[in-house]
Amino acid sequence: MFEVIYMKADYEPWWAFEGWEQHIVKKMTFEQEEEALQYLNKMLDEFRAKFPKEQVKGDKYWAFWSIKEQCYCESCEDDLQIYHGVIWNSLK
């Protein structure tokens, strides 16, 4: 089984802070690796077209962002960057 996870948070997906699952926007599970990779590559292409910034960690984490998309953090009294994270997960 294979998963492609899309999360949106004020941190990159590889940090996986406690409670990161609450930031999942969409999770797709596939039996076949080929089908999962097609979905993953389509999603990555869409995010690359939409967001000017990208960072990759390993071969399973992608973060996309635009400097214009931020949220205000009351406790730290500062603006935080919003990241659109994609996670590839092989459940073999």
Side-chain angles (χ1 to χ4, degrees):
M1 300 246 316
F2 303 89
E3 286 181 334
V4 179
I5 299 169
Y6 164 42
M7 62 176 285
K8 183 177 174 182
D10 58 2
Y11 54 87
E12 296 93 336
W14 47 83
W15 291 112
F17 293 124
E18 185 175 331
W20 73 271
E21 295 91 347
Q22 297 172 16
H23 298 283
I24 292 174
V25 175
K26 187 174 189 177
K27 182 183 347 184
M28 296 292 292
T29 304
F30 301 88
E31 293 287 333
Q32 302 297 319
E33 184 175 18
E34 182 178 325
E35 185 181 4
L37 286 171
Q38 286 176 349
Y39 180 83
L40 171 67
N41 289 323
K42 182 179 180 211
M43 179 180 277
L44 294 176
D45 288 345
E46 289 173 2
F47 282 142
R48 286 179 179 131
K50 186 174 181 181
F51 298 103
K53 307 277 187 185
E54 176 183 358
Q55 189 171 357
V56 180
K57 189 140 186 148
D59 58 351
K60 67 179 278 179
Y61 298 105
W62 293 262
F64 297 90
W65 69 97
S66 167
I67 294 174
K68 297 176 185 178
E69 190 175 11
Q70 299 182 357
C71 66
Y72 185 73
C73 171
E74 290 188 28
S75 62
C76 58
E77 298 181 353
D78 200 4
D79 290 329
L80 300 177
Q81 183 63 56
I82 298 297
Y83 296 94
H84 298 266
V86 179
I87 302 169
W88 167 260
N89 194 10
S90 175
L91 305 172
K92 291 183 179 180

PDB file of all heavy atoms in Angstrom, residues 8-27:
ATOM      1  N   LYS A   8      -1.380  21.107   5.224  1.00  0.00           N
ATOM      2  CA  LYS A   8      -1.179  22.555   5.178  1.00  0.00           C
ATOM      3  C   LYS A   8      -0.961  23.025   6.603  1.00  0.00           C
ATOM      4  O   LYS A   8      -1.821  22.817   7.464  1.00  0.00           O
ATOM      5  CB  LYS A   8      -2.407  23.221   4.547  1.00  0.00           C
ATOM      6  CG  LYS A   8      -2.284  24.711   4.381  1.00  0.00           C
ATOM      7  CD  LYS A   8      -3.526  25.247   3.694  1.00  0.00           C
ATOM      8  CE  LYS A   8      -3.508  26.749   3.627  1.00  0.00           C
ATOM      9  NZ  LYS A   8      -4.737  27.273   3.002  1.00  0.00           N
ATOM     10  N   ALA A   9       0.216  23.613   6.844  1.00  0.00           N
ATOM     11  CA  ALA A   9       0.560  24.018   8.213  1.00  0.00           C
ATOM     12  C   ALA A   9       1.584  25.148   8.181  1.00  0.00           C
ATOM     13  O   ALA A   9       2.081  25.506   7.111  1.00  0.00           O
ATOM     14  CB  ALA A   9       1.115  22.820   8.981  1.00  0.00           C
ATOM     15  N   ASP A  10       1.918  25.655   9.343  1.00  0.00           N
ATOM     16  CA  ASP A  10       2.934  26.712   9.442  1.00  0.00           C
ATOM     17  C   ASP A  10       4.332  26.128   9.674  1.00  0.00           C
ATOM     18  O   ASP A  10       5.189  26.763  10.272  1.00  0.00           O
ATOM     19  CB  ASP A  10       2.565  27.726  10.524  1.00  0.00           C
ATOM     20  CG  ASP A  10       2.403  27.118  11.897  1.00  0.00           C
ATOM     21  OD1 ASP A  10       2.605  25.895  12.052  1.00  0.00           O
ATOM     22  OD2 ASP A  10       2.074  27.861  12.839  1.00  0.00           O
ATOM     23  N   TYR A  11       4.543  24.924   9.179  1.00  0.00           N
ATOM     24  CA  TYR A  11       5.860  24.281   9.209  1.00  0.00           C
ATOM     25  C   TYR A  11       5.928  23.256   8.078  1.00  0.00           C
ATOM     26  O   TYR A  11       4.912  22.789   7.586  1.00  0.00           O
ATOM     27  CB  TYR A  11       6.149  23.622  10.563  1.00  0.00           C
ATOM     28  CG  TYR A  11       5.106  22.647  11.030  1.00  0.00           C
ATOM     29  CD1 TYR A  11       5.147  21.311  10.648  1.00  0.00           C
ATOM     30  CD2 TYR A  11       4.063  23.052  11.848  1.00  0.00           C
ATOM     31  CE1 TYR A  11       4.181  20.407  11.067  1.00  0.00           C
ATOM     32  CE2 TYR A  11       3.096  22.159  12.272  1.00  0.00           C
ATOM     33  CZ  TYR A  11       3.159  20.842  11.872  1.00  0.00           C
ATOM     34  OH  TYR A  11       2.202  19.957  12.291  1.00  0.00           O
ATOM     35  N   GLU A  12       7.163  22.914   7.691  1.00  0.00           N
ATOM     36  CA  GLU A  12       7.366  21.958   6.608  1.00  0.00           C
ATOM     37  C   GLU A  12       6.968  20.554   7.066  1.00  0.00           C
ATOM     38  O   GLU A  12       7.055  20.236   8.243  1.00  0.00           O
ATOM     39  CB  GLU A  12       8.835  21.962   6.170  1.00  0.00           C
ATOM     40  CG  GLU A  12       9.299  23.285   5.583  1.00  0.00           C
ATOM     41  CD  GLU A  12       9.931  24.206   6.620  1.00  0.00           C
ATOM     42  OE1 GLU A  12       9.637  24.082   7.834  1.00  0.00           O
ATOM     43  OE2 GLU A  12      10.715  25.077   6.213  1.00  0.00           O
ATOM     44  N   PRO A  13       6.546  19.692   6.128  1.00  0.00           N
ATOM     45  CA  PRO A  13       6.001  18.383   6.509  1.00  0.00           C
ATOM     46  C   PRO A  13       6.997  17.443   7.176  1.00  0.00           C
ATOM     47  O   PRO A  13       6.594  16.567   7.934  1.00  0.00           O
ATOM     48  CB  PRO A  13       5.519  17.806   5.176  1.00  0.00           C
ATOM     49  CG  PRO A  13       6.310  18.505   4.134  1.00  0.00           C
ATOM     50  CD  PRO A  13       6.565  19.878   4.674  1.00  0.00           C
ATOM     51  N   TRP A  14       8.290  17.600   6.935  1.00  0.00           N
ATOM     52  CA  TRP A  14       9.265  16.659   7.519  1.00  0.00           C
ATOM     53  C   TRP A  14       9.437  16.841   9.015  1.00  0.00           C
ATOM     54  O   TRP A  14       9.964  15.982   9.677  1.00  0.00           O
ATOM     55  CB  TRP A  14      10.621  16.747   6.802  1.00  0.00           C
ATOM     56  CG  TRP A  14      11.125  18.137   6.587  1.00  0.00           C
ATOM     57  CD1 TRP A  14      11.809  18.923   7.481  1.00  0.00           C
ATOM     58  CD2 TRP A  14      10.993  18.912   5.404  1.00  0.00           C
ATOM     59  NE1 TRP A  14      12.106  20.136   6.917  1.00  0.00           N
ATOM     60  CE2 TRP A  14      11.620  20.150   5.632  1.00  0.00           C
ATOM     61  CE3 TRP A  14      10.411  18.671   4.177  1.00  0.00           C
ATOM     62  CZ2 TRP A  14      11.667  21.158   4.667  1.00  0.00           C
ATOM     63  CZ3 TRP A  14      10.469  19.673   3.219  1.00  0.00           C
ATOM     64  CH2 TRP A  14      11.096  20.884   3.475  1.00  0.00           C
ATOM     65  N   TRP A  15       8.951  17.935   9.580  1.00  0.00           N
ATOM     66  CA  TRP A  15       9.073  18.101  11.036  1.00  0.00           C
ATOM     67  C   TRP A  15       8.124  17.175  11.776  1.00  0.00           C
ATOM     68  O   TRP A  15       8.426  16.745  12.878  1.00  0.00           O
ATOM     69  CB  TRP A  15       8.827  19.556  11.428  1.00  0.00           C
ATOM     70  CG  TRP A  15       9.931  20.438  10.941  1.00  0.00           C
ATOM     71  CD1 TRP A  15       9.850  21.396   9.970  1.00  0.00           C
ATOM     72  CD2 TRP A  15      11.290  20.432  11.366  1.00  0.00           C
ATOM     73  NE1 TRP A  15      11.070  21.975   9.774  1.00  0.00           N
ATOM     74  CE2 TRP A  15      11.978  21.405  10.624  1.00  0.00           C
ATOM     75  CE3 TRP A  15      12.006  19.692  12.306  1.00  0.00           C
ATOM     76  CZ2 TRP A  15      13.334  21.661  10.789  1.00  0.00           C
ATOM     77  CZ3 TRP A  15      13.351  19.945  12.467  1.00  0.00           C
ATOM     78  CH2 TRP A  15      14.002  20.923  11.720  1.00  0.00           C
ATOM     79  N   ALA A  16       6.977  16.904  11.214  1.00  0.00           N
ATOM     80  CA  ALA A  16       6.006  15.976  11.810  1.00  0.00           C
ATOM     81  C   ALA A  16       5.853  16.191  13.313  1.00  0.00           C
ATOM     82  O   ALA A  16       5.954  15.270  14.111  1.00  0.00           O
ATOM     83  CB  ALA A  16       6.381  14.524  11.507  1.00  0.00           C
ATOM     84  N   PHE A  17       5.616  17.450  13.683  1.00  0.00           N
ATOM     85  CA  PHE A  17       5.397  17.767  15.093  1.00  0.00           C
ATOM     86  C   PHE A  17       4.190  17.008  15.631  1.00  0.00           C
ATOM     87  O   PHE A  17       3.321  16.578  14.862  1.00  0.00           O
ATOM     88  CB  PHE A  17       5.166  19.275  15.268  1.00  0.00           C
ATOM     89  CG  PHE A  17       6.374  20.113  14.973  1.00  0.00           C
ATOM     90  CD1 PHE A  17       6.328  21.121  14.032  1.00  0.00           C
ATOM     91  CD2 PHE A  17       7.578  19.899  15.634  1.00  0.00           C
ATOM     92  CE1 PHE A  17       7.431  21.911  13.752  1.00  0.00           C
ATOM     93  CE2 PHE A  17       8.691  20.670  15.378  1.00  0.00           C
ATOM     94  CZ  PHE A  17       8.618  21.676  14.427  1.00  0.00           C
ATOM     95  N   GLU A  18       4.140  16.877  16.936  1.00  0.00           N
ATOM     96  CA  GLU A  18       3.005  16.202  17.573  1.00  0.00           C
ATOM     97  C   GLU A  18       1.710  16.856  17.101  1.00  0.00           C
ATOM     98  O   GLU A  18       1.586  18.079  17.087  1.00  0.00           O
ATOM     99  CB  GLU A  18       3.120  16.304  19.091  1.00  0.00           C
ATOM    100  CG  GLU A  18       2.054  15.536  19.819  1.00  0.00           C
ATOM    101  CD  GLU A  18       2.249  15.552  21.331  1.00  0.00           C
ATOM    102  OE1 GLU A  18       3.388  15.659  21.793  1.00  0.00           O
ATOM    103  OE2 GLU A  18       1.236  15.456  22.034  1.00  0.00           O
ATOM    104  N   GLY A  19       0.768  16.044  16.695  1.00  0.00           N
ATOM    105  CA  GLY A  19      -0.519  16.538  16.211  1.00  0.00           C
ATOM    106  C   GLY A  19      -0.512  16.941  14.749  1.00  0.00           C
ATOM    107  O   GLY A  19      -1.483  17.518  14.264  1.00  0.00           O
ATOM    108  N   TRP A  20       0.557  16.600  14.027  1.00  0.00           N
ATOM    109  CA  TRP A  20       0.650  16.999  12.617  1.00  0.00           C
ATOM    110  C   TRP A  20      -0.510  16.458  11.793  1.00  0.00           C
ATOM    111  O   TRP A  20      -0.925  17.062  10.811  1.00  0.00           O
ATOM    112  CB  TRP A  20       1.989  16.566  12.006  1.00  0.00           C
ATOM    113  CG  TRP A  20       2.099  15.095  11.751  1.00  0.00           C
ATOM    114  CD1 TRP A  20       2.550  14.146  12.608  1.00  0.00           C
ATOM    115  CD2 TRP A  20       1.723  14.408  10.555  1.00  0.00           C
ATOM    116  NE1 TRP A  20       2.477  12.900  12.020  1.00  0.00           N
ATOM    117  CE2 TRP A  20       1.972  13.033  10.753  1.00  0.00           C
ATOM    118  CE3 TRP A  20       1.200  14.805   9.326  1.00  0.00           C
ATOM    119  CZ2 TRP A  20       1.716  12.071   9.787  1.00  0.00           C
ATOM    120  CZ3 TRP A  20       0.948  13.838   8.358  1.00  0.00           C
ATOM    121  CH2 TRP A  20       1.215  12.493   8.602  1.00  0.00           C
ATOM    122  N   GLU A  21      -1.077  15.331  12.230  1.00  0.00           N
ATOM    123  CA  GLU A  21      -2.181  14.723  11.496  1.00  0.00           C
ATOM    124  C   GLU A  21      -3.404  15.641  11.407  1.00  0.00           C
ATOM    125  O   GLU A  21      -4.214  15.524  10.508  1.00  0.00           O
ATOM    126  CB  GLU A  21      -2.585  13.386  12.129  1.00  0.00           C
ATOM    127  CG  GLU A  21      -1.524  12.314  12.058  1.00  0.00           C
ATOM    128  CD  GLU A  21      -0.596  12.294  13.284  1.00  0.00           C
ATOM    129  OE1 GLU A  21      -0.603  13.258  14.090  1.00  0.00           O
ATOM    130  OE2 GLU A  21       0.141  11.307  13.420  1.00  0.00           O
ATOM    131  N   GLN A  22      -3.531  16.558  12.349  1.00  0.00           N
ATOM    132  CA  GLN A  22      -4.655  17.498  12.338  1.00  0.00           C
ATOM    133  C   GLN A  22      -4.574  18.466  11.161  1.00  0.00           C
ATOM    134  O   GLN A  22      -5.563  19.114  10.813  1.00  0.00           O
ATOM    135  CB  GLN A  22      -4.703  18.286  13.646  1.00  0.00           C
ATOM    136  CG  GLN A  22      -4.941  17.431  14.858  1.00  0.00           C
ATOM    137  CD  GLN A  22      -4.779  18.218  16.147  1.00  0.00           C
ATOM    138  OE1 GLN A  22      -4.770  19.436  16.152  1.00  0.00           O
ATOM    139  NE2 GLN A  22      -4.648  17.513  17.259  1.00  0.00           N
ATOM    140  N   HIS A  23      -3.404  18.566  10.545  1.00  0.00           N
ATOM    141  CA  HIS A  23      -3.195  19.479   9.421  1.00  0.00           C
ATOM    142  C   HIS A  23      -3.342  18.791   8.063  1.00  0.00           C
ATOM    143  O   HIS A  23      -3.102  19.410   7.029  1.00  0.00           O
ATOM    144  CB  HIS A  23      -1.808  20.131   9.522  1.00  0.00           C
ATOM    145  CG  HIS A  23      -1.654  20.962  10.754  1.00  0.00           C
ATOM    146  ND1 HIS A  23      -2.198  22.220  10.868  1.00  0.00           N
ATOM    147  CD2 HIS A  23      -1.036  20.704  11.929  1.00  0.00           C
ATOM    148  CE1 HIS A  23      -1.910  22.711  12.068  1.00  0.00           C
ATOM    149  NE2 HIS A  23      -1.207  21.798  12.718  1.00  0.00           N
ATOM    150  N   ILE A  24      -3.751  17.528   8.076  1.00  0.00           N
ATOM    151  CA  ILE A  24      -3.948  16.808   6.816  1.00  0.00           C
ATOM    152  C   ILE A  24      -5.183  17.362   6.113  1.00  0.00           C
ATOM    153  O   ILE A  24      -6.264  17.438   6.694  1.00  0.00           O
ATOM    154  CB  ILE A  24      -4.107  15.288   7.049  1.00  0.00           C
ATOM    155  CG1 ILE A  24      -2.785  14.695   7.542  1.00  0.00           C
ATOM    156  CG2 ILE A  24      -4.557  14.598   5.764  1.00  0.00           C
ATOM    157  CD1 ILE A  24      -2.866  13.224   7.934  1.00  0.00           C
ATOM    158  N   VAL A  25      -5.001  17.756   4.868  1.00  0.00           N
ATOM    159  CA  VAL A  25      -6.096  18.233   4.032  1.00  0.00           C
ATOM    160  C   VAL A  25      -6.683  17.066   3.247  1.00  0.00           C
ATOM    161  O   VAL A  25      -7.902  16.951   3.101  1.00  0.00           O
ATOM    162  CB  VAL A  25      -5.602  19.337   3.073  1.00  0.00           C
ATOM    163  CG1 VAL A  25      -6.697  19.759   2.110  1.00  0.00           C
ATOM    164  CG2 VAL A  25      -5.055  20.525   3.853  1.00  0.00           C
ATOM    165  N   LYS A  26      -5.796  16.191   2.752  1.00  0.00           N
ATOM    166  CA  LYS A  26      -6.253  15.056   1.944  1.00  0.00           C
ATOM    167  C   LYS A  26      -5.248  13.925   2.050  1.00  0.00           C
ATOM    168  O   LYS A  26      -4.033  14.158   2.029  1.00  0.00           O
ATOM    169  CB  LYS A  26      -6.389  15.496   0.489  1.00  0.00           C
ATOM    170  CG  LYS A  26      -7.003  14.485  -0.427  1.00  0.00           C
ATOM    171  CD  LYS A  26      -7.230  15.086  -1.804  1.00  0.00           C
ATOM    172  CE  LYS A  26      -8.038  14.154  -2.677  1.00  0.00           C
ATOM    173  NZ  LYS A  26      -8.324  14.751  -3.981  1.00  0.00           N
ATOM    174  N   LYS A  27      -5.754  12.707   2.161  1.00  0.00           N
ATOM    175  CA  LYS A  27      -4.904  11.516   2.166  1.00  0.00           C
ATOM    176  C   LYS A  27      -5.495  10.501   1.198  1.00  0.00           C
ATOM    177  O   LYS A  27      -6.658  10.133   1.315  1.00  0.00           O
ATOM    178  CB  LYS A  27      -4.825  10.911   3.564  1.00  0.00           C
ATOM    179  CG  LYS A  27      -3.915   9.702   3.605  1.00  0.00           C
ATOM    180  CD  LYS A  27      -3.783   8.929   4.909  1.00  0.00           C
ATOM    181  CE  LYS A  27      -4.283   9.477   6.156  1.00  0.00           C
ATOM    182  NZ  LYS A  27      -3.987   8.644   7.332  1.00  0.00           N
TER     183      LYS A  27
END
